[in-house]
Every structure is written in structure tokens, then in C-alpha cells.
Amino acid sequence: MKKIVILISGRGSNMEAVVRACAREGWPARVCAVVSNRPDAAGLSFAQANGIETKVVDHRGFEDREAFDAALAREIDRYEPDLVVLAGFIRMLTDGFVERYAGRILNVHPSLLPCFAGLRTHQQALDAGVRVHGATVHFVTPTLDHGPIVAQGAVPVVAGDDAAALAARVLQVEHVIYPRAVRWFIEGRLTLTIDGERVALTPSEPQWLFADTAGKGA
Ligand code: NHR
């Protein structure tokens, strides 16, 4: 049984998608704990209702990022996880933290990386006028939103979209590609290339998803 710890900051809808897929598909894995940096994160109650241990490590209580990350790592390490999953976790992590979990920490970022790293990605996409947007599952490395790509899902940008409408469309593909990518990790099918910059999936299957909007036009 592989052990998963999930980090959230808010609603944690991707956490919910991973927890549900794990149960529904009978993964040889267990979500041991959900840790939030915000005491009011709505996702904490979903976790509790599903019998998952929860913990809050409030970043506001710490001197600096190193101290916060050290406390966060202490909580995570109690569970000796095989995998750490960021699910809408909104604090940048220090190099030391990321290196501690190298090769076993994943994130889903709401853009087709390397476009639109950082925050407010949907507004960035609208401002750039792209016609296709989406989400990327990647291994977390010290450089924000630049780790090796595991899976991507694309959605159209349509007339009249605002950031909220676009975000909702992207979120739907996140909920498909993230559980899938986590399952690949659990199945031991993901390997990082020697230079650590690429991901190989064995046996291979599509690492992309195009939202099915055929025929729906604009
Ligand atoms: N840390 C590292 N080192 N590398 C990554 O790839 C990371 C990371 C921490 C979080 C998630 C990411 C996202 O999916 C993520 C990837 C927060 C920020 C941010 O700027 C950026 C990217 C992501 C998450 N946070 C601000 C901060 O000061 C604002 C925090 C706040 O609002 O409280 O940490 O988008």
C-alpha cells in the first residue's frame, strides 16, 4: 500500500478527485493525511468526513519560508509518504523542501506549461488571446511551475469567457488528468530521465486530454 499526503490551501477539489478515484478504482494506495496552510480551507471538512487525518500548518505563524517549510515537512514525514500531492496549495516551496521530496511530489497547474506560470493563469491566458488553454500535471522542482511534465489537458477558450468561466472549464480537465497521473505514479509507471527534465510513462498511454467539445463550436 503506497502512502499519499495531499497539501491544500482552499476547496481542494483536486484532492477530492484524487481521494474519490483512489477509492473507486481501488488503487494500492491510501491518502493518509491532508495538510493545509490555511485553517479555514474548505477541503479539510471533506477529508475529515472521509476519515482522513487533517492538519493545519498556518504559514502566518512562522518567521520565514524556511521555518514554515521545516514545520510542514515534519508533519508530512510523520506519515512517511511515497508521494506528496499539491492540490491548489498556494505557498511557494523552498529549494530544501522540494529537494527532500525530489521525484515524489506532484502538482497540477492551471495552464498549458510552459505558458502562464505563476498565479492568475486564466486572466493571463485571456490577456494573451490564446484560443486553447488547459492544465498541466508536473513534478515539482525548485523553479516554480517548471518541473517535468506528466500530463496535460486542453480546453477551448470561447467567446464571452471571463477568468471564472475559463477556470471552471479547465478545472474539469484537472479532475480527470490529475487522478490519472497520480495513479500512474502509484503503479510505478513514471520515471524521470537521467537529466531529470523529462518523464517517461511505461507502458505508454496518452499523456494528453482534449476536452470533448467537437461540434459545439464557439
Ligand atoms: N514550489 C516550488 N518550489 N516549485 C513549484 O513548482 C511549486 C511550488 C509551490 C507551489 C503550485 C503553483 C501553482 O500550481 C506550486 C508549485 C503558488 C504560487 C505563488 O506565487 C505560485 C505557483 C503555485 C502556487 N504563491 C505566492 C507566495 O508568496 C502567494 C501566496 C498566497 O497567496 O498566499 O507563496 O500555481
Side-chain angles (χ1 to χ4, degrees):
M1 233 19 179
K2 294 240 168 85
K3 291 183 277 184
I4 303 172
V5 169
I6 305 184
L7 307 187
I8 65 169
S9 296
R11 184 169 39 143
S13 69
N14 278 299
M15 174 266 298
E16 208 173 307
V18 167
V19 168
R20 288 188 198 284
C22 182
R24 186 180 63 240
E25 298 172 0
W27 300 352
R30 194 167 70 82
V31 177
C32 306
V34 169
V35 183
S36 172
N37 68 302
R38 288 195 177 154
D40 58 350
L44 291 170
S45 42
F46 172 86
Q48 279 154 12
N50 283 269
I52 300 167
E53 283 188 42
T54 59
K55 183 79 196 180
V56 173
V57 183
D58 190 335
H59 63 277
R60 291 169 300 188
F62 296 88
E63 274 278 286
D64 52 28
R65 288 184 190 269
E66 279 73 21
F68 167 67
D69 282 8
L72 189 59
R74 253 192 318 277
E75 291 304 329
I76 294 169
D77 288 349
R78 289 173 44 210
Y79 301 95
E80 302 183 339
D82 298 284
L83 176 65
V84 176
V85 167
L86 306 188
F89 181 76
I90 49 80
R91 298 299 299 176
M92 290 187 281
L93 297 162
T94 57
D95 293 7
F97 182 95
V98 171
E99 275 149 20
R100 180 181 194 86
Y101 303 105
R104 53 189 180 108
I105 177 167
L106 291 172
N107 179 44
V108 63
H109 178 79
S111 80
L112 291 173
L113 290 172
C115 284
F116 316 133
L119 301 173
R120 302 180 64 252
T121 54
H122 308 299
Q123 193 57 51
Q124 288 189 55
L126 292 171
D127 292 347
V130 295
R131 299 289 95 188
V132 177
H133 185 45
T136 303
V137 178
H138 65 95
F139 280 96
V140 173
T141 57
T143 312
L144 202 64
D145 300 328
H146 274 74
I149 292 171
V150 180
Q152 293 189 297
V155 304
V157 179
V158 306
D161 267 350
D162 58 13
L166 190 50
R169 195 173 306 121
V170 171
L171 198 56
Q172 291 184 346
V173 301
E174 293 177 40
H175 294 166
V176 177
I177 65 173
Y178 207 15
R180 191 174 289 173
V182 171
R183 176 171 53 78
W184 292 336
F185 182 95
I186 293 301
E187 292 171 341
R189 293 170 60 192
L190 297 179
T191 46
L192 287 165
T193 54
I194 203 92
D195 61 6
E197 292 190 0
R198 296 279 187 283
V199 173
L201 171 65
T202 18
S204 90
E205 67 178 89
Q207 286 165 267
W208 38 259
L209 176 74
F210 297 99
D212 181 19
T213 54
K216 289 198 189 133

